[in-house]
């Protein structure tokens, strides 16, 4: 989330609270000052927000930290709205504290991404931070990909609408909402156009850098291209843990990026270019096929963003690709793509993943599993039955600051090592076929 998004969210929250109090004071003359104060105190004192998890148990990031071999590497993919490098800092610090990683690199590394399939195109900024526990040596390498520069020039077409020629004509609240709409609304539209290939190439480059080396192997800065998964990367692919966190449109980008990689791996010889040293070896593909890749989707939008799209090249064939006894098992991309989809029911742009979705709408080679997290990240104000509302902006943007969301990503649920906060505040229901 960038500074502008935070400003809009805070201002909208203040305005929403002010509107509610004004409505109560002006429209309900029988409610005195003391009752209003009691209502506000009650909303602050009691936290009855829902947290329900349906699916399979998962252990979170912590289970992979401190292994004898391999590192844990996390890639964050943002959603709509203009973002600047460093947008994950608040979340990263909360996650590091939860994982007891008390040391971090003094200066992040920043790579400007390029790709041979999209020549002479800036594919965004990959910002990498090393997080450590000084005593036991546990390590997390945090990759933050910022793709806003790919869509920024096109969104400039709407800049006139935020200018003085138009802004003063709007009511103050509507002006704020219009700025928010102009910043966020175009991104899904642009993604469906010519920029989609560049954004997906940027995701592939981010994944490639994550899979091809450790902290000391990464360049400190500059424009660079990751040229593929070679035999020298096999040790990293086999032993490292890869984790993805996405928000909003970032969830669609992550899944599309994974499906694009599945296609590229299935046609590795077609896209290899020995002159540019871009290739993927059979040995590295086989190492990747044994991986479990968790994706934590904040404000998941997969169902909505599937509308009007073609089905994946390979779908409805999960058993053929993901069962060890099947004849196409050696053609899978990974052993499991474990999707954990977070959605606040008061988030107007978020959806759970319904039964059957993964079989029809996700590439079968991903071997996807789905766990849904129904969680109120925005507080609900109950004004004695006269009002029942939650700030929709907070419900859409508040996931990465919610302690329960961070705890679930860090330590999971449905197993003995789940954190006390999750045991106390979240309900888990294991699902079976």
């Amino acid at each position: 989330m960038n500074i502008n998004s935070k400003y809009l969210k805070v201002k909208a929250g203040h305005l929403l609270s002010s509107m509610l109090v004004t409505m109560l004071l002006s429209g309900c003359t029988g409610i005195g000052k003391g009752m209003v104060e009691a209502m506000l105190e009650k909303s602050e004192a009691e936290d009855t927000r829902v947290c329900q998890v349906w699916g399979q148990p998962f252990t979170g990031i912590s289970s992979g930290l401190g292994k004898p071999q391999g590192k844990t590497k996390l890639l964050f993919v943002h959603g709509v709205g203009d973002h600047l490098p460093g947008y994950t800092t608040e979340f990263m610090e909360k996650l590091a504290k939860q994982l007891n990683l008390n040391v971090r690199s003094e200066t992040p590394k920043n790579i400007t991404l390029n790709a041979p399939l999209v020549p002479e195109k800036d594919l965004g900024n990959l910002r990498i931070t090393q997080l450590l526990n000084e005593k036991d040596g546990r390590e997390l390498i945090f990759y933050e990909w910022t793709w806003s520069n790919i869509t920024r020039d096109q969104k400039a077409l709407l800049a006139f609408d935020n200018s003085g020629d138009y802004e003063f004509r709007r009511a103050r609240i509507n002006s704020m909402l219009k700025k928010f709409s102009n910043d966020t609304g175009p991104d899904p539209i642009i993604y469906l156009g010519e920029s989609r290939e560049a954004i997906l190439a940027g995701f592939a480059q981010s994944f490639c850098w994550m899979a091809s080396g450790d902290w000391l192997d990464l360049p400190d800065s500059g424009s660079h291209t990751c040229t593929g998964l070679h035999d020298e990367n096999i040790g990293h692919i086999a032993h490292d843990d890869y984790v993805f966190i996405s928000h909003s449109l970032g969830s669609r980008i992550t899944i599309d990026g994974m499906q694009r990689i599945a296609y590229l791996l299935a046609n590795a010889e077609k896209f290899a270019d020995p002159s540019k040293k871009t290739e993927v070896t059979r040995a590295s593909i086989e190492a990747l096929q044994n991986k479990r890749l968790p994706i934590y989707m904040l404000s998941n939008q997969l169902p909505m963003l599937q509308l009007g799209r073609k089905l994946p090249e390979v779908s409805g064939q999960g058993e053929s690709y993901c069962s060890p006894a099947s004849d196409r098992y050696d053609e899978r991309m990974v052993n499991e793509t474990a999707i954990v989809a977070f959605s606040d029911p008061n988030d107007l742009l978020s959806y759970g993943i319904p039964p059957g979705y993964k079989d029809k709408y996700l590439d079968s080679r991903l071997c996807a599993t789905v766990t849904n997290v129904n969680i109120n990240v925005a507080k609900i104000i109950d004004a004695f039955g006269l009002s029942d509302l939650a700030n929709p902006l907070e419900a859409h943007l508040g996931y990465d600051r919610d302690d329960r969301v961070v705890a679930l990503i860090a330590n999971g649920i449905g197993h003995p090592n789940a954190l006390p906060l999750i045991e106390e505040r979240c309900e888990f229901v294991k699902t079976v076929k």
Side-chain angles (χ1 to χ4, degrees):
M1 188 192 315
N2 62 8
I3 294 174
N4 291 334
S5 297
K6 285 186 177 179
Y7 173 78
L8 287 171
K9 182 179 72 62
V10 170
K11 292 293 290 183
H14 290 167
L15 288 167
L16 195 61
S17 300
S18 300
M19 290 167 61
L20 175 62
V21 174
T22 301
M23 179 179 64
L24 288 171
L25 292 176
S26 60
C28 306
T29 56
I31 298 178
K33 177 180 178 182
M35 296 181 68
V36 174
E37 290 177 348
M39 177 199 73
L40 294 176
E41 289 174 1
K42 179 181 178 183
S43 68
E44 289 295 324
E46 296 183 8
D47 188 353
T48 58
R49 293 175 299 164
V50 168
C51 176
Q52 300 167 312
V53 183
W54 302 296
Q56 297 300 305
F58 58 95
T59 56
I61 296 173
S62 63
S63 62
L65 297 177
K67 296 189 305 181
Q69 288 183 301
K71 309 290 185 181
T72 299
K73 301 174 180 179
L74 184 157
L75 174 64
F76 199 111
V77 182
H78 70 76
V80 298
D82 194 85
H83 289 69
L84 298 174
Y87 66 89
T88 62
T89 300
E90 183 178 7
F91 170 77
M92 182 181 69
E93 290 181 353
K94 288 180 72 71
L95 181 64
K97 183 177 180 180
Q98 186 68 75
L99 295 170
N100 194 26
L101 301 174
N102 52 9
V103 176
R104 71 177 180 184
S105 51
E106 181 179 10
T107 304
K109 298 186 177 186
N110 287 275
I111 302 174
T112 300
L113 302 177
N114 303 120
L117 297 180
V118 190
E120 299 180 2
K121 181 74 173 179
D122 180 347
L123 303 179
N125 182 84
L126 188 64
R127 176 183 170 111
I128 310 106
T129 304
Q130 183 186 35
L131 304 171
L132 297 162
N133 182 287
E134 196 169 24
K135 291 183 178 180
D136 60 25
R138 291 181 302 124
E139 178 182 1
L140 172 67
I141 304 178
F142 194 105
Y143 296 74
E144 172 204 273
W145 175 42
T146 306
W147 52 265
S148 288
N149 65 295
I150 300 176
T151 62
R152 190 173 291 139
D153 289 345
Q154 297 175 68
K155 289 163 65 173
L157 175 63
L158 300 180
F160 74 93
D161 194 49
N162 298 330
S163 68
D165 290 336
Y166 291 84
E167 185 177 10
F168 80 96
R169 305 178 194 277
R170 301 188 181 105
R172 184 175 298 178
I173 295 177
N174 296 69
S175 178
M176 291 171 56
L177 293 175
K178 192 65 184 296
K179 287 181 179 179
F180 182 81
S181 175
N182 287 344
D183 181 38
T184 60
D187 283 319
I189 300 172
I190 296 172
Y191 178 64
L192 293 177
E194 294 180 353
S195 293
R196 182 171 181 268
E197 182 65 20
I199 293 173
L200 294 183
F203 175 86
Q205 279 291 304
S206 300
F207 180 81
C208 184
W209 281 111
M210 187 167 61
S212 61
D214 291 333
W215 172 255
L216 295 177
D217 303 319
L218 298 167
D220 292 332
S221 61
S223 297
H224 301 277
T225 299
C226 183
T227 56
L229 303 179
H230 308 291
D231 288 349
E232 58 265 29
N233 306 135
I234 292 175
H236 294 293
I237 300 171
H239 300 297
D240 291 347
D241 285 344
Y242 304 129
V243 180
F244 300 88
I245 301 179
S246 58
H247 180 264
S248 183
L249 176 61
S251 299
R252 182 76 257 176
I253 292 171
T254 299
I255 285 297
D256 287 350
M258 295 287 288
Q259 293 180 157
R260 179 179 182 270
I261 292 172
Y263 174 76
L264 293 176
L265 295 181
N267 299 273
E269 295 181 0
K270 177 181 177 181
F271 293 99
D273 187 346
S275 65
K276 296 182 179 180
K277 298 182 180 180
T278 58
E279 62 176 340
V280 179
T281 64
R282 183 62 212 172
S284 63
I285 292 176
E286 292 175 353
L288 186 62
Q289 287 177 329
N290 293 319
K291 303 300 293 182
R292 178 183 183 272
L293 301 182
I295 306 176
Y296 299 97
M297 299 182 173
L298 312 181
S299 185
N300 167 62
Q301 295 182 350
L302 289 185
M304 180 177 68
L305 296 175
Q306 182 61 46
L307 299 176
R309 295 165 55 95
K310 294 181 180 180
L311 295 178
E313 180 187 35
V314 179
S315 63
Q317 303 178 54
E319 286 296 319
S320 297
Y321 285 90
C322 304
S323 172
S326 67
D327 56 347
R328 311 200 75 167
Y329 185 62
D330 61 351
E331 298 178 37
R332 70 196 185 283
M333 176 188 170
V334 292
N335 196 48
E336 180 187 3
T337 302
I339 297 173
V340 180
F342 292 80
S343 57
D344 186 328
N346 295 304
D347 180 354
L348 305 182
L349 298 174
S350 180
Y351 302 83
I353 298 180
Y357 179 93
K358 69 179 181 64
D359 298 319
K360 183 175 182 179
Y361 296 108
L362 299 182
D363 194 305
S364 300
R365 293 169 293 192
L366 300 184
C367 299
T369 60
V370 173
T371 294
N372 280 300
V373 181
N374 177 53
I375 185 168
N376 291 136
V377 297
K379 291 183 178 181
I380 299 174
I381 300 175
D382 184 1
F384 301 104
L386 299 177
S387 297
D388 189 8
L389 61 92
N391 183 346
L393 285 177
E394 174 67 21
H396 183 65
L397 299 172
Y399 296 88
D400 55 359
R401 293 188 313 281
D402 190 292
D403 290 339
R404 297 162 301 163
V405 173
V406 175
L408 284 168
I409 293 174
N411 283 79
I413 195 171
H415 61 92
N417 294 323
L419 294 170
L421 172 66
I422 299 304
E423 296 287 350
E424 296 168 4
R425 299 292 307 281
C426 295
E427 172 190 352
F428 175 65
V429 177
K430 182 179 179 179
T431 59
V432 295
K433 291 185 178 180

